[in-house]
Amino acid sequence: MSMIKFKNIYFNSLLNQTYNKNLKKYGFTPYGLFWTSKKSQYSRFDIIYQLLKKTIKNNIKIEIADIGCGYASFLNFLNHKKDDFTYSGYDINEKLIDYCKKKYPSNYFDCSYFPKRMTDVTIISGTYNYAVTDNLENWENYIFFNIKKCFSQSRKALIFNLQYTKKNSYIQNKIYYANFQLTLSRLREEFEKVTFFHSIKSIRDIYFTILR
């Protein structure tokens, strides 16, 4: 087993432990997933939705994979839209997946850090913000390892966000802040087509779209 795969397993184990403790304290709520509020959560969803519509311009039915789906709040958000879509949710936490399966029995959910099925678009919102290490290089390698794996299962695009800074990347109070320019440069080294987006509606976040 390579070192990056070993660290991926190790970090996922630490994340599971952390989220289990938080879910026990706050339940299946935004606080249980380290979100500050439902409002901020849905602000991010709205931006991702707009990027999704921009990426898939034709009004065709699309398959969406939600990585780090939590308790499927993005699915709840999408259900209030009129679009035709197939949703699959993935999370590394079994308690969250069990909850989703019971609440949304008609949708597919699985315990995984990447889409088990090929999908049109992979969505990753806030999944890599909470860092379980202070080692910046290791955490950034973890993020890129996961993004590449997810993109390999995506036919059309992958959309994700990160907390960002114009200064050097850093981890503070367990939250990872990515230097925008360095992150964009690395993405463009790894992938052929990468765009980015920033909005005052979600001022602390930067959004990236990786296209086929």
Side-chain angles (χ1 to χ4, degrees), residues 69-87:
C69 66
Y71 52 91
S73 49
F74 186 57
L75 173 58
N76 184 60
F77 172 89
L78 289 174
N79 283 337
H80 289 85
K81 305 295 181 182
K82 297 181 180 180
D83 303 281
D84 195 7
F85 65 90
T86 299
Y87 172 98

Side-chain angles (χ1 to χ4, degrees), residues 1-54:
M1 180 184 296
S2 67
M3 182 57 68
I4 185 62
K5 287 184 179 180
F6 174 79
K7 287 180 179 178
N8 193 67
I9 294 169
Y10 177 63
F11 286 161
N12 284 345
S13 176
L14 292 179
L15 283 167
N16 257 317
Q17 294 174 32
T18 301
Y19 278 94
N20 281 337
K21 289 179 182 178
N22 222 47
L23 287 169
K24 186 176 182 180
K25 184 176 183 180
Y26 295 108
F28 298 96
T29 67
Y31 295 110
L33 299 182
F34 297 99
W35 291 93
T36 55
S37 67
K38 183 177 179 179
K39 182 180 179 180
S40 66
Q41 188 182 37
Y42 272 59
S43 292
R44 290 181 174 95
F45 290 166
D46 188 57
I47 293 169
I48 287 174
Y49 175 73
Q50 296 303 324
L51 292 173
L52 184 63
K53 295 287 287 183
K54 185 178 180 181

Side-chain angles (χ1 to χ4, degrees), residues 147-187:
I147 288 173
K148 285 189 281 187
K149 183 66 176 178
C150 291
F151 189 61
S152 70
Q153 293 291 93
S154 310
R155 299 186 191 94
K156 298 182 182 297
L158 181 149
I159 301 170
F160 76 103
N161 54 27
L162 294 171
Q163 298 269 286
Y164 90 104
T165 178
K166 294 180 181 179
K167 302 177 182 179
N168 292 332
S169 301
Y170 65 94
I171 296 170
Q172 183 176 3
N173 298 324
K174 299 294 185 180
I175 302 300
Y176 169 67
Y177 298 87
N179 175 274
F180 163 66
Q181 289 293 347
L182 291 178
T183 303
L184 180 61
S185 295
R186 184 169 177 179
L187 284 168

Side-chain angles (χ1 to χ4, degrees), residues 101-115:
K101 287 179 177 179
K102 291 176 183 178
K103 188 172 182 179
Y104 302 101
S106 61
N107 292 94
Y108 178 81
F109 292 94
D110 203 349
C111 200
S112 176
Y113 63 90
F114 65 93

